[in-house]
Amino acid sequence: MTESILRVAVPSPLHRLFDYLPPRAEAVALAPGMRVQIPFGRGRAVGMLVDIARTTDFDPARLKRVQAVLDAAPVLPDDILAMARWAADYYHHPLGEVLAGCLPVVLRRGQALQPQGETVWRLTDAGHAASPAERARAPQQERALTFLAEHSDGASRAQLDAAGLGAHILRALTARDWIESTVRAPAPRAAIPTATSAHPLNPAQAEAVAAIQSARDRYQAFLLDGVTGSGKTEVYLQAIAECIAQGKQALVVVPEIGLTPQLVERFQQRLGHAPTLLHSGLSEGERLNAWLAARAGEAAVVIGTRSAAWVPLARPGLFIVDEEHDPSLKQQEGFRYSARDLLVWRAHRDGVPIVLGSATPALESLHNAQQGRYQHLSLPERAGVACAPRLYLLDIRNQTLDEGLAPALLAQMRAHLGRDGQVLLFLNRRGFAPTLLCHACGWVAECRRCDAHLTLHQQHKHLRCHHCGSQQPIPVQCPQCGCADLRPLGAGTERVERALERQFPDVPFVRIDRDNTRRKGRLEDLLAQAASGDARILLGTQMLAKGHHFPGVTLVGILEADQGLFSADFRAGERLAQQVIQVAGRAGRAERPGEVLVQTHHPEHPLLQQLVAAGYPAFAAAALAERQAAGLPPFSNLALLRAEATDARAPEHFLSAARDATDTRLTNGLEFWGPVPSPMERRAGRFRAQLLLVARDRKRLHRLLADWVPRLGELKAARKVRWSLDVDPIDLF
Ligand code: ADP
Ligand code: ZN
Ligand code: ZN
């Protein structure tokens, strides 16, 4: 009898599987989904068994043997394996990388499937005994000792970080033998108490919940299209409660910054126990434990960001994607997948309902609903007593702005603050000013490595590039003409903050952006001040704008709406409309009505006019008609081949060669746009170019890609560039 051939997926850029012979002592019954340790190249690797075959295209005598089988049973269940295969085909990405990416890092390295304890720090006897005189010499260490004395059963790294006690302090104290780390066993899961009672649903909500419930045990996709504050989360919660009552698990995927403590607390209160979380802030051990709890069926509700779409569930019952239009649901580097689209595929495979929720659905999703692929559920009104906010365009042409704030906006702010309302100001631009300008000669500060301006940061006193991260000191005189009259051009959040300090010296405010929330726990802290009403003015970037429920906010000011009006990207209008409506949705979420002022230099622009007069549905209908006329998605399918190199000509050279390498029998019905330089041609010192493929017919496009992509790496011109393929790209940069 001949030996079986093991087909193994290995994390590698090669678009193929690798054949191996079984280990000599074949103790366990082999099955797809088990991890194996294999000799690979000159070293060894952890791969995943995906197939057991009888034949091989290679000389069986030269095949190597698997060194060890790492699992007694498959790590990944059938549905995740099938989804990985489908995704590798659809996104034309190597299966080995897809599979490696869907495992927690600890498992990728080959470790056993056991929950990991958490590392905690505590005082040693010597630490307890340290004399006050010894301790007083280093105030930071003194603070850490006091903190640990208050946490006698140990403090985790997360707790220490939140208290501002970093690794260097722990190292210093460990060196003095005053503290030690131990591993604490994972906490046992609490039993599930009963949930607190829900709001009585309004008729639209009740209809939505009933529709979702009637689809239990089978596949059905729903587009829950509900205006901001219409009670979508309430609909999720009721559908989830029903799912849990049936003994099944619910998986909720939210955008990166949507996974707020507020949301988690709401789930916890309503469902009576903490949901299992999966997000980028977890340690490797925490991530593994959450993943294992989901896989074992112990986690009734899992809430996570993009990569949670891959988490195995023992008894899947319901999938939810919140803010389904959000660009962060698409991975933008490496393996570029859409978590939303994957989950729709998975729901179909698993035979469970999926709910895609948004106040501003993606045009793709609206189109799918119109085509009958998704069932359209709509919540046209705000829940409870709240009513829709009113939007106004504020013409700022010829106005004197105070650090970006128009007089009419300032007057409205005073009026709302005087009536005890909170004010939210949105500006999606951090730093002090988008750039620095020489008033004498017109020189502007530009990044040496990118085609981009440097942002002026007053707080940290430097110029920084938001694309490559490089920094430089603020020049005292113009490098071009020597003049000392250098002026900030435009306004970022830091600059608006300055106006607030001057205009409203007695009004407490918070500024929420990435620069201001780097320290752990800081964002939670600021959001809590916003939600409690302690802060009367809330200023921030999109971190502040999405998903939050601040019941006291009655006025929203959008300081800059013009950026998206004239962009080259065909999705810019859609993004702008979504952003305006989402930010506006923070106003008037409780009893008191909300107002929204949108500052613009283009008050007559049709997009803004339409949005203000008729809202998102009217905008979306018009935008869909335009896309259809132009043959753009969702009426066509795109794939974008990107290339970059330090040599200016190499990217276009590679893309031309790639274009020439297409099989002409397959290019029928396909259009190539490019190669052209990317909109930002130089980034971090590398030149970038792109080639866009547009096809009416999705199957045709994928037939071409399947033949073409695996051959691209063999092109001679490929050696000089980094390249990547993006199927269904969401931006063309
Ligand atoms: P969305 O997710 O659509 O933004 P939420 O579910 O957060 O909306 O609901 C907005 C507010 O309305 C919340 O404070 C919520 O508690 C409240 N709410 C939701 N449904 C109802 C209802 N049926 N009756 C009264 N209040 C409700
Ligand atoms: Zn100058
Ligand atoms: Zn740069």
Side-chain angles (χ1 to χ4, degrees):
M1 196 188 87
T2 57
E3 282 191 289
S4 44
I5 307 290
L6 307 186
R7 298 247 149 92
V8 178
V10 187
S12 115
L14 295 175
H15 283 255
R16 62 182 191 82
L17 298 174
F18 296 84
D19 290 358
Y20 286 86
L21 296 173
R24 286 211 193 280
E26 201 174 327
V28 292
L30 290 166
M34 290 180 176
R35 292 170 303 156
V36 290
Q37 186 182 301
I38 46 167
F40 192 72
R42 264 180 235 128
R44 51 189 203 182
V46 175
M48 184 161 293
L49 179 57
V50 294
D51 231 340
I52 300 168
R54 291 270 134 224
T55 60
T56 173
D57 295 340
F58 300 89
D59 176 3
R62 302 190 52 193
L63 289 185
K64 294 186 178 146
R65 275 186 197 283
V66 162
Q67 291 166 330
V69 179
L70 301 175
D71 300 302
V75 178
L76 291 177
D78 283 350
D79 64 336
I80 302 294
L81 272 179
M83 183 160 79
R85 280 172 178 266
W86 177 80
D89 280 350
Y90 184 84
Y91 293 105
H92 303 274
H93 199 79
L95 180 59
E97 289 194 351
V98 174
L99 283 167
C102 71
L103 289 177
V105 176
V106 177
L107 298 183
R108 230 177 280 171
R109 288 198 298 251
Q111 292 182 36
L113 252 71
Q114 268 159 10
Q116 290 206 333
E118 186 185 28
T119 301
V120 294
W121 298 83
R122 58 176 141 227
L123 293 181
T124 59
D125 292 342
H128 278 293
S131 73
E134 278 178 302
R135 294 170 52 143
R137 263 177 266 148
Q140 290 271 53
Q141 297 181 18
E142 156 72 31
R143 210 159 62 75
L145 292 174
T146 312
F147 185 83
L148 289 178
E150 286 161 6
H151 293 76
S152 53
D153 50 346
S156 67
R157 270 309 296 273
Q159 285 173 306
L160 288 158
D161 275 345
L165 299 166
H168 61 287
I169 304 172
L170 301 181
R171 267 197 304 275
L173 288 170
T174 312
R176 303 180 82 166
D177 270 340
W178 284 356
I179 66 170
E180 63 188 359
S181 64
T182 52
V183 174
R184 184 160 63 191
R189 305 212 136 250
I192 301 181
T194 48
T196 58
S197 70
H199 285 290
L201 297 179
N202 64 36
Q205 286 174 313
E207 209 174 297
V209 172
I212 298 165
Q213 282 175 358
S214 74
R216 65 172 166 242
D217 306 326
R218 67 179 165 87
Y219 166 73
Q220 172 68 51
F222 298 95
L223 177 61
L224 181 61
D225 179 0
V227 299
T228 54
S230 59
K232 293 183 291 297
T233 312
E234 209 56 45
V235 170
Y236 304 153
L237 285 165
Q238 302 243 351
I240 290 170
E242 159 87 11
C243 166
I244 302 176
Q246 295 196 334
K248 295 190 191 156
Q249 295 169 280
L251 171 61
V252 185
V253 172
V254 300
E256 202 64 53
I257 53 183
L259 192 47
T260 59
Q262 255 188 343
L263 182 79
V264 175
E265 191 175 324
R266 195 160 160 200
F267 270 70
Q268 172 151 11
Q269 275 175 2
R270 283 291 314 284
L271 301 171
H273 67 112
T276 297
L277 303 182
L278 276 171
H279 57 81
S280 57
L282 301 181
S283 68
E284 284 177 16
E286 289 169 329
R287 172 165 275 273
L288 175 69
N289 294 352
W291 192 88
L292 290 173
R295 179 176 175 274
E298 289 158 18
V301 182
V302 180
I303 308 184
T305 49
R306 194 172 57 223
S307 65
W310 291 99
V311 73
L313 298 171
R315 297 180 306 280
L318 173 66
F319 298 153
I320 290 167
V321 181
D322 191 26
E323 311 287 4
E324 63 84 33
H325 65 280
D326 196 283
S328 79
L329 293 171
K330 173 94 191 253
Q331 178 138 308
Q332 304 274 31
E333 57 197 30
F335 171 35
R336 295 168 162 81
Y337 65 90
S338 155
R340 174 193 65 202
D341 297 350
L342 278 185
L343 263 189
V344 171
W345 189 93
R346 185 174 171 189
H348 191 266
R349 166 79 215 263
D350 289 353
V352 304
I354 178 167
V355 182
L356 311 179
S358 176
T360 52
L363 296 182
E364 276 80 1
S365 300
L366 284 169
H367 182 64
N368 277 326
Q370 284 163 8
Q371 298 289 306
R373 283 190 284 271
Y374 300 166
Q375 189 178 332
H376 200 157
L377 304 172
S378 93
L379 307 179
E381 275 159 21
R382 284 195 156 174
V385 292
C387 53
R390 298 176 69 87
L391 260 76
Y392 303 93
L393 296 177
L394 183 55
D395 185 353
I396 55 171
R397 285 174 296 188
N398 292 316
Q399 299 276 309
T400 311
L401 304 185
D402 184 3
E403 322 282 23
L405 303 175
L409 176 59
L410 285 166
Q412 280 300 318
M413 288 173 69
R414 280 183 217 293
H416 278 261
L417 291 168
R419 292 196 297 265
D420 230 17
Q422 263 175 311
V423 176
L424 186 151
L425 298 178
F426 172 76
L427 178 59
N428 211 12
R429 211 193 272 142
R430 61 205 168 83
F432 188 82
T435 193
L436 192 65
L437 168 82
C438 171
H439 194 53
C441 77
W443 169 88
V444 291
E446 273 169 0
C447 180
R448 287 190 203 102
R449 309 172 66 218
C450 309
D451 292 331
H453 293 156
L454 290 171
T455 302
L456 174 62
H457 287 257
Q458 290 283 30
Q459 202 178 344
H460 299 287
K461 306 239 176 315
H462 61 214
L463 296 168
R464 192 192 312 152
C465 174
H466 285 186
H467 301 281
C468 72
S470 58
Q471 293 179 6
Q472 42 186 282
I474 302 171
V476 282
Q477 57 185 50
C478 172
Q480 192 166 284
C481 75
C483 165
D485 190 0
L486 297 178
R487 300 182 180 183
L489 188 67
T493 47
E494 270 183 31
R495 191 168 190 177
V496 177
E497 180 171 13
R498 185 162 296 185
L500 296 181
E501 280 163 356
R502 203 162 2 82
Q503 294 274 357
F504 305 95
D506 305 320
V507 180
F509 70 89
V510 288
R511 184 187 113 211
I512 298 185
D513 59 34
R514 228 173 344 126
D515 295 319
N516 212 18
T517 54
R518 278 184 215 280
R519 191 152 53 72
K520 236 182 164 173
R522 176 88 175 142
L523 175 62
E524 289 72 17
D525 198 38
L526 293 174
L527 286 173
Q529 289 178 43
S532 70
D534 288 347
R536 305 310 302 165
I537 303 176
L538 326 175
L539 162 66
T541 55
Q542 54 172 344
M543 290 184 102
L544 181 62
K546 284 193 196 161
H548 302 294
H549 184 63
F550 303 125
V553 171
T554 56
L555 175 68
V556 164
I558 297 178
L559 302 191
E560 158 77 72
D562 296 347
Q563 268 174 323
L565 290 176
F566 305 101
S567 164
D569 196 315
F570 73 90
R571 281 186 224 269
E574 178 183 356
R575 295 266 177 275
L576 174 64
Q578 288 165 343
Q579 197 163 60
V580 169
I581 297 296
Q582 292 287 346
V583 179
R586 299 315 109 205
R589 291 174 68 93
E591 303 79 38
R592 282 178 292 172
E595 277 184 316
V596 182
L597 292 183
V598 183
Q599 296 193 151
T600 175
H601 282 100
H602 303 277
E604 74 298 331
H605 195 286
L607 189 155
L608 293 176
Q609 286 285 344
Q610 190 170 44
L611 213 50
V612 167
Y616 189 80
F619 157 79
L624 274 169
E626 273 174 32
R627 296 270 184 95
Q628 183 156 29
L632 287 167
F635 302 93
S636 65
N637 302 280
L638 304 184
L640 186 66
L641 185 62
R642 295 184 177 92
E644 58 171 55
T646 45
D647 176 59
R649 275 164 322 187
E652 283 191 59
H653 185 169
F654 163 74
L655 294 173
S656 299
R659 189 180 161 152
D660 293 342
T662 48
D663 183 339
T664 45
R665 282 165 303 177
L666 296 172
T667 52
N668 208 346
L670 254 73
E671 275 180 64
F672 290 87
W673 295 3
V676 291
S678 304
M680 184 188 292
E681 186 175 2
R682 212 164 45 97
R683 183 171 176 161
R686 305 175 77 87
F687 291 86
R688 307 150 76 230
Q690 56 193 34
L691 173 64
L692 185 67
L693 280 70
V694 186
R696 294 262 159 180
D697 188 74
R698 187 188 295 272
K699 287 215 181 76
R700 263 208 189 138
L701 174 63
H702 282 271
R703 259 201 306 271
L704 173 90
L705 294 175
D707 167 73
W708 187 50
V709 178
R711 293 192 286 114
L712 290 177
E714 291 156 22
L715 294 175
K716 225 171 107 201
R719 283 184 226 151
K720 298 217 169 103
V721 300
R722 270 195 229 150
W723 61 272
S724 63
L725 181 79
D726 192 349
V727 174
D728 304 332
I730 57 164
D731 68 49
L732 304 184
F733 278 82

